[in-house]
Amino acid sequence: MEVRRRVLRPAPAGEPLKPKQDPHPHSQQQSYLTNAVFFGLFFSLAYFLLHRWREKIRTSTPLHVVTLSEMAAIVSLIASFFYLMAFFGITFILHPFLNYRSSPEDDLDLHIPKPVPTPSCPAALPHHDEDIILAVVSGSIPSYSLETRLDDTRRAALIRRKAVEHITGRSLEGLPVEGFDYDSILGQCCEMPIGFVQIPVGVAGPLLLDGKEYTVPMATTEGCLVASTNRGCKAIHVSGGASSMLLRDAMTRAPVVRFNSAKRASQLKFYLEDPLNFDSLAVVFNKSSRFARLQDIKAAIAGKNLYIRFSCTTGDAMGMNMVSKGVQNVLTFLQSDFPDMDVIGISGNFCSDKKAAAVNWIEGRGKSVVCEAVIKEEVVKKVLKTSVEALVELNMLKNLTGSAMAGALGGFNAHASNIVSAVYLATGQDPAQNVESSHCITMMEAVNDGKDLHISVTMPSLEVGTVGGGTQLASQSACLNLLGVKGASKESPGANSRLLATIVAGSVLAGELSLMSAIAAGQLVNSHMKYNRSSKDITKIGS
């Protein structure tokens, strides 16, 4: 671009320099006044219409039903918009040409090229990997930027790995780096990778659940776990199978907001829990996603702080991001009526995510499932090597009384977290959510005149999904495909994730049955000594 510089003509001797006068001062003042009027008109009308539409949403009035005042406001809004666009838009477009206009007083135009600023870009990367490694070690190249600057995720992982070895002075031999698709985790699963951890995957089953057989993948490094669960699956299968019931499907998020007084906080609590307001809030919440559907709102007060627990369905996704977006929409909507509401955090731990909490044990979070089976007397004796009486007594004293003595929170079971973690790792779930997903109470009772065993597991907060997160990785996707729940359900949104939750509960049922039988029969120690002990010389491995 070129600019024109005006050369001032020297004034005649004895004549003082006079500032150049604007030939149209009145027109400029009128232009400023007109712009101010149209600016005020535009924003006033916009506010009026938004306020009217919000009232229509609250009263369930169709938006296309327009009153005379609203029609006039819409026409005036469009007119003021076109005026402002015409005025400022044309001025902006013509701005480069206006710079070239000259007055009759100009007698010389000098075309001086305008210097083009040099864009600030990172220095070019060295060609050799060894030089890049040294640059990462020295800090001149940030480790996190390697994927972007190299445009090669595998090479970035190799270089970062060698840089880490150089910085720490520790060998990473044994941590594999080849054979993994690093493109699949870029920007969504793991940052700054240097390799991947191998976890063996075993299968237990077939698990006969609700009339269908499932081969359950379990990723674990604990000996006996897969074998024990497999034995439980066998006992369930030969006894006719297990049945499951989905009690609830609702992911939660609970922001914390603060007011200047407890009275104001209680006013919002009453507003949120009033059934007459639920439909309006649901409309605002559900706009965040095609699958998010608000089910319930509960609020709890601590002084002038209010904790609002939103519950919603999330389709086949585990749904944390989905429910968070819906909550943000509602908070924005509420601030028009409660402008003094101060949003402290989108999560106030009343949700409660990745923490053992009574609210999840009582109210549920994610999928709430109960699974049961009746194990025949001969199966208890031949397959499980124990008796119905021994199992019922052990369950009472261990899982119920013993857990109560320990002050357990949701831990009234033998080892539900073992099975939950193994299935979660195999199918790409968030392993940290094993904390609340393992809430489980195991019940055993003698039935059919005391001959057979009725066993059930009740799990109120199984948090699973079949889309998003780690579920799209190749290994985890293969395990989901093995169970027949890969991806989103086309027939019924959410069906795959609900089925996965029941399979997890059925697997926990099998694991509980087998471990409790091993303890009752006195086989636990012998089994672990046989299957969970390494015969390798670890001193040689360490050296």
Side-chain angles (χ1 to χ4, degrees), residues 283-305:
V283 169
V284 175
F285 185 98
N286 296 345
K287 288 180 180 179
S288 62
S289 169
R290 291 181 299 154
F291 304 106
R293 292 296 177 267
L294 185 64
Q295 289 189 340
D296 186 38
I297 301 176
K298 291 189 176 180
I301 282 185
K304 58 182 182 178
N305 306 300

Side-chain angles (χ1 to χ4, degrees), residues 57-76:
I57 292 174
R58 283 187 174 183
T59 58
S60 300
T61 303
L63 295 179
H64 64 271
V65 177
V66 182
T67 64
L68 185 61
S69 60
E70 291 171 348
M71 179 65 73
I74 293 173
V75 173
S76 301

Side-chain angles (χ1 to χ4, degrees), residues 4 17 96 180 200 210 233 240 272 319 333 376 387 398 413 433 454 457 473 478 507 511:
R4 307 189 64 177
L17 287 174
F180 188 82
D210 298 324
C233 289
L272 292 170
F333 174 78
K376 297 178 181 179
S387 65
K398 171 181 166 61
N413 57 81
Q433 290 184 323
H454 180 276
V457 292
L473 300 179
S507 303

Side-chain angles (χ1 to χ4, degrees), residues 46-349:
Y47 176 81
F48 170 76
L49 291 173
L50 288 174
H51 180 75
R52 292 293 302 158
W53 287 336
R54 184 169 61 84
E55 290 297 325
K56 288 183 178 182
I57 292 174
R58 283 187 174 183
T59 58
S60 300
T61 303
L63 295 179
H64 64 271
V65 177
V66 182
T67 64
L68 185 61
S69 60
E70 291 171 348
M71 179 65 73
I74 293 173
V75 173
S76 301
L77 181 70
I78 295 174
S80 60
F81 173 78
F82 275 109
Y83 169 81
L84 294 173
M85 283 299 296
F87 184 84
F88 291 102
I90 292 175
T91 304
F92 175 77
I93 294 171
L94 295 180
H95 181 71
F97 301 98
L98 294 176
N99 286 338
Y100 286 91
R101 292 190 306 176
S102 59
S103 67
E105 298 176 359
D106 293 338
D107 60 346
L108 180 62
D109 289 331
L110 298 178
H111 297 270
I112 305 174
K114 185 176 181 179
V116 179
T118 304
S120 58
C121 59
L125 287 174
H127 294 291
H128 300 291
D129 287 359
E130 291 76 10
D131 296 331
I132 300 177
I133 293 169
L134 294 176
V136 173
V137 172
S138 67
S140 58
I141 296 179
S143 176
Y144 62 80
S145 68
L146 289 175
E147 280 79 7
T148 303
R149 300 182 65 177
L150 291 172
D151 197 23
D152 186 338
T153 56
R154 174 187 164 277
R155 185 183 174 199
L158 286 167
I159 290 173
R160 183 180 295 111
R161 174 195 183 92
K162 293 178 181 178
V164 169
E165 288 181 324
H166 193 287
I167 293 171
T168 62
R170 303 282 184 176
S171 173
L172 288 172
E173 184 179 359
L175 179 68
V177 65
E178 297 289 354
F180 188 82
D181 181 10
Y182 293 97
D183 288 338
S184 65
I185 64 172
L186 183 63
Q188 55 186 353
C189 287
C190 180
E191 297 77 36
M192 297 191 288
I194 59 171
F196 59 97
V197 174
Q198 294 173 314
I199 303 178
V201 178
V203 290
L207 171 67
L208 183 57
L209 178 66
D210 298 324
K212 295 183 179 179
E213 292 185 349
Y214 301 95
T215 300
V216 183
M218 302 175 66
T220 181
T221 56
E222 180 183 350
C224 290
L225 179 59
V226 178
S228 177
T229 307
N230 188 65
R231 183 174 74 147
C233 289
K234 179 181 178 181
I236 292 172
H237 197 290
V238 297
S239 296
S243 59
S244 65
M245 285 68 65
L246 186 82
L247 307 177
R248 192 164 184 250
D249 181 7
M251 181 50 65
T252 64
R253 175 58 88 198
V256 53
V257 300
R258 182 171 60 195
F259 289 88
N260 292 326
S261 66
K263 180 179 180 180
R264 282 292 287 165
S266 63
Q267 289 173 351
L268 177 55
K269 173 180 168 64
F270 297 146
Y271 175 87
L272 292 170
E273 295 181 346
D274 187 344
L276 297 177
N277 297 325
F278 181 82
D279 288 342
S280 299
L281 296 173
V283 169
V284 175
F285 185 98
N286 296 345
K287 288 180 180 179
S288 62
S289 169
R290 291 181 299 154
F291 304 106
R293 292 296 177 267
L294 185 64
Q295 289 189 340
D296 186 38
I297 301 176
K298 291 189 176 180
I301 282 185
K304 58 182 182 178
N305 306 300
L306 186 66
Y307 296 81
I308 313 168
R309 195 171 193 258
F310 294 82
S311 303
C312 78
T313 56
T314 56
D316 283 302
M318 185 270 289
M320 286 300 302
N321 293 333
M322 194 182 299
V323 66
S324 296
K325 289 192 293 184
V327 168
Q328 187 62 61
N329 286 352
V330 173
L331 292 177
T332 303
F333 174 78
L334 289 174
Q335 283 193 308
S336 60
D337 284 337
F338 296 88
D340 53 336
M341 179 180 70
D342 184 13
V343 180
I344 303 300
I346 191 68
S347 174
N349 275 10

